[in-house]
């Protein structure tokens, strides 16, 4: 399984009281499909998977699979601090009709080596043996920085359905090494939106990211320009994405991105503690900044031109 193009890491959808609101899923999916994404990555970091109960995660999976109706791929994050719960989520994803699963490292009791990480991921992947499995490498969040190349070397012998890695780290040299392992045997999906163009330059073909949920046409234009050899234009378009991303660091990134979604017309509701929605003043500051850099106008200009 090799994915080319963009996978949107979708956000959680809650009612004002914090309860799950799945009524928004259909519209989210319809919009993403119309913009040309190749799939959705659900219940991950941006989907607040760790803040949902297992039952809520399974309900979310079912809602997305129904809404997608085979129009794009559905990748389900099943990672959990409990391997047993991760296995339960993996088995459910397979039964529900997902196209692939992925899992982060356990993040309380942490694997101390690549060998132990493979042990953990082999257990999870075995619960859904029909589905391609992607190890979700995101050391900035999990605090686990096992060597991803070593993981592939060990994992290919232990995980029959290992498809590759969701590589959410800025270490492009290690990313490139994983891409080229065994002549590109594995699918290494890049996960840092702000570094998409540099990743393309070392061989990336597919990427998973949060800002693709509301700005996919911008990044698709980056990919189109890169593929056409228009490097100066590709760099400029990537920089426009970087300027937008800069405001996410002012506050907590997930609430900030949900604010941008709201400004663009889709209110996904609040976040769950320990994440908190931005204040009115914080939202106004982001709105003013996006207006200053012309983000909405740029997004509108590329929406119908990107591949």
């Amino acid at each position: 399984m090799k994915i080319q193009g963009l996978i949107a890491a979708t956000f959680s959808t809650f009612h004002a009281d914090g309860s799950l609101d799945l009524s928004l899923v259909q519209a989210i999916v319809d919009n993403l499909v119309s913009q040309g994404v190749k799939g959705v990555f659900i219940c991950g970091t941006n989907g607040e998977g760790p803040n949902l109960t297992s039952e809520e995660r399974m309900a979310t999976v079912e809602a997305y699979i129904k809404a997608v109706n085979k129009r794009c791929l559905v990748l389900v994050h099943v990672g959990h601090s409990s391997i047993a719960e991760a296995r339960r989520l993996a088995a459910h994803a397979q039964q529900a009709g997902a196209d692939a699963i992925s899992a982060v490292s356990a993040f309380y009791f942490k694997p101390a080596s690549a060998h132990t990480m493979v042990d953990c991921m082999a257990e999870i992947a075995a619960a859904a043996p029909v589905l391609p499995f992607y190890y979700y490498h995101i050391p900035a969040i999990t605090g686990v920085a096992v060597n991803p190349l070593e993981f592939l070397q060990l994992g290919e012998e232990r995980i029959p359905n290992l498809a590759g890695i969701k590589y959410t780290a800025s270490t492009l040299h290690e990313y490139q090494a994983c891409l080229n392992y065994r002549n590109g045997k594995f699918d290494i999906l890049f996960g840092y939106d702000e570094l998409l163009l540099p990743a393309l330059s070392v061989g990336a073909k597919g990427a998973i990211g949060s800002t693709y949920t509301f700005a996919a046409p911008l990044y698709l234009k980056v990919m189109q320009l890169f593929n056409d050899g228009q490097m100066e234009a590709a760099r400029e378009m990537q920089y426009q994405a970087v300027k937008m991303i800069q405001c996410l660091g002012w506050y907590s990134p997930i609430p900030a991105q949900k604010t941008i979604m709201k400004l663009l017309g889709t209110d996904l509701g609040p976040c769950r503690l320990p994440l908190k929605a931005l204040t009115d003043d914080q939202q106004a500051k982001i709105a003013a900044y996006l207006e200053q850099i012309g983000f909405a106008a740029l997004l509108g200009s590329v929406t119908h031109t990107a591949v």
Side-chain angles (χ1 to χ4, degrees):
M1 181 174 180
K2 290 287 184 75
I3 296 172
Q4 297 190 18
L6 300 182
I7 304 291
T10 59
F11 298 94
S12 57
T13 51
F14 296 128
H15 292 288
D17 64 1
S19 61
L20 198 62
D21 180 7
L22 297 178
S23 67
L24 301 172
V25 168
Q26 187 69 58
I28 291 170
V29 167
D30 289 346
N31 184 56
L32 289 171
V33 169
S34 72
Q35 291 183 352
V37 303
K38 299 300 183 182
V40 290
F41 186 88
I42 59 176
C43 295
T45 305
N46 302 294
E48 295 184 63
N51 274 353
L52 304 180
T53 67
S54 292
E55 287 68 29
E56 287 174 326
R57 289 170 73 167
M58 289 188 282
T60 300
V61 168
E62 292 169 10
Y64 268 94
I65 289 174
K66 180 180 179 182
V68 165
N69 193 26
K70 302 187 183 301
R71 291 178 294 165
C72 68
L73 298 172
V74 178
L75 284 70
V76 178
H77 174 246
V78 300
H80 199 288
S81 284
S82 163
I83 299 298
E85 280 299 290
R87 284 176 53 83
R88 187 160 78 97
L89 292 167
H92 172 266
Q94 179 173 289
Q95 182 275 329
D99 295 293
I101 58 171
S102 179
V104 295
S105 167
F107 41 84
Y108 188 86
F109 297 115
K110 299 177 174 66
S113 68
H115 285 83
T116 305
M117 181 71 79
V118 168
D119 289 341
C120 295
M121 295 300 144
E123 286 285 325
I124 297 169
V130 173
L131 295 184
F133 175 81
Y134 290 82
Y135 163 53
Y136 187 171
H137 180 64
I138 184 167
I141 299 297
T142 62
V144 180
V146 301
N147 186 312
L149 182 60
E150 186 180 5
F151 175 87
L152 290 177
Q153 293 166 338
L154 298 170
E156 67 179 334
E157 301 297 329
R158 294 281 314 282
I159 307 173
N161 54 333
L162 179 62
I165 297 176
K166 180 185 184 297
Y167 196 101
T168 306
S170 60
T171 45
L172 282 171
H173 62 295
E174 291 185 338
Y175 174 75
Q176 187 176 21
C178 291
L179 273 178
N180 287 280
Y181 177 64
R182 288 195 182 275
N183 295 314
K185 175 181 178 180
F186 292 104
D187 192 18
I188 314 299
L189 299 169
F190 193 68
Y192 261 45
D193 308 9
E194 56 268 52
L195 293 177
L196 176 61
L197 182 57
L200 294 174
S201 75
V202 300
K205 301 296 183 185
I208 301 177
S210 58
T211 62
Y212 307 155
T213 303
F214 55 85
L218 192 159
Y219 295 97
L220 289 169
K221 190 66 175 179
V222 171
M223 297 181 80
Q224 179 190 50
L225 292 167
F226 174 82
N227 291 333
D228 290 345
Q230 299 182 51
M231 296 307 301
E232 186 61 35
R235 284 192 290 268
E236 175 57 30
M237 192 62 65
Q238 179 69 52
Y239 180 52
Q240 296 303 317
V242 167
K243 287 198 294 184
M244 175 271 292
I245 289 170
Q246 285 174 332
C247 75
L248 304 182
W250 297 349
Y251 313 111
S252 181
I254 294 173
Q257 289 176 93
K258 293 183 85 169
T259 291
I260 295 176
M261 290 283 289
K262 183 178 179 180
L263 291 170
L264 293 174
T266 303
D267 189 346
L268 302 176
C271 298
R272 283 185 177 172
L273 290 171
L275 299 177
K276 296 188 69 174
L278 303 191
T279 66
D280 289 345
D281 286 346
Q282 291 169 334
Q283 292 183 56
K285 183 178 178 182
I286 286 181
Y289 174 75
L290 295 180
E291 178 66 24
Q292 175 190 334
I293 65 172
F295 174 67
L298 174 66
L299 189 58
S301 72
V302 298
T303 295
H304 300 297
T305 61
V307 292

